[in-house]
Amino acid sequence: EIAPISKKEAHNMIKKTKYNSYVFGFCLILNITLNLLFIKHLSAEGVALATSISYGVYAGLMMMLAWKKVRINQFSFGFLKAIAAGGLALLALLFARTIIDKNSFNLIILGIFFFILYIALLFLFKSFEEDDIYILKKSIKKFQKKKQDLPKETIEYSDFK
């Protein structure tokens, strides 16, 4: 559950903005270094991997900084379950990539497979909270409403002549 931030905590966060620049600068150097290392062996996939690692390090460092400087706890058991679900889905994706051809269609199918597997693992690990389920239900209802609002009849080409 998210606790409201007091005025004192908000003021403390504003005074700590220089640390964001330090973390960002470190992750920028990390990203460039990893790009130089990975691009030789993995080409474009290496760049993507380097950027993903840099963003992950940035997120982790910022969460640790939030805890250390202003005592905002970003970590929860549900958060760790979501990380585990993403990791398992990623491992399945990497394994599947080794056994299929690398063309555009298959990569799109792999992306869809990853998304479905990730959502299924989130349900399996019961990492959805009340707010998440509420948003998901509202999104499904909104999608169903838009689908019902589509015109039922089809327009023939001959109608435009």
Side-chain angles (χ1 to χ4, degrees), residues 1 16 23 54 80 124 129 140:
E1 197 171 304
K16 309 290 189 228
V23 171
S54 298
L80 295 176
L124 181 69
E129 296 176 2
I140 290 170

Side-chain angles (χ1 to χ4, degrees), residues 38-55:
F38 292 161
I39 201 165
K40 294 176 187 175
H41 304 290
L42 301 171
S43 64
E45 291 173 346
V47 173
L49 180 61
T51 303
S52 298
I53 291 171
S54 298
Y55 275 118

Side-chain angles (χ1 to χ4, degrees), residues 4-119:
I5 297 175
S6 70
K7 288 181 182 179
K8 182 180 177 185
E9 289 174 324
H11 181 68
N12 285 341
M13 286 172 36
I14 290 169
K15 292 189 326 187
K16 309 290 189 228
T17 55
K18 66 180 178 183
Y19 295 109
N20 184 27
S21 299
Y22 298 151
V23 171
F24 185 77
F26 170 75
C27 290
L28 175 66
I29 293 168
L30 176 67
N31 190 16
I32 292 169
T33 305
L34 291 175
N35 278 330
L36 294 173
L37 292 173
F38 292 161
I39 201 165
K40 294 176 187 175
H41 304 290
L42 301 171
S43 64
E45 291 173 346
V47 173
L49 180 61
T51 303
S52 298
I53 291 171
S54 298
Y55 275 118
V57 169
Y58 178 77
L61 289 174
M62 289 305 294
M63 284 191 282
M64 287 174 24
L65 192 63
W67 171 250
K68 184 178 179 185
K69 296 295 179 186
V70 289
R71 297 290 183 215
I72 296 174
N73 187 4
Q74 300 278 334
F75 298 101
S76 68
F77 190 61
F79 176 75
L80 295 176
K81 290 192 286 188
I83 295 290
L88 288 173
L90 182 61
L91 286 175
L93 178 70
L94 292 173
F95 174 74
R97 266 192 61 237
T98 62
I99 59 175
I100 66 166
D101 294 332
K102 294 179 187 174
N103 61 40
S104 298
F105 178 74
N106 285 345
L107 291 177
I108 291 170
I109 297 300
L110 278 177
I112 293 168
F113 166 74
F114 172 80
F115 178 74
I116 292 170
L117 181 61
Y118 177 66
I119 297 297

Side-chain angles (χ1 to χ4, degrees), residues 144-155:
Q144 288 173 341
K145 186 176 187 276
K146 283 186 178 183
K147 190 176 176 183
Q148 290 173 355
D149 292 343
L150 291 174
K152 302 284 188 243
E153 68 276 350
T154 59
I155 299 173

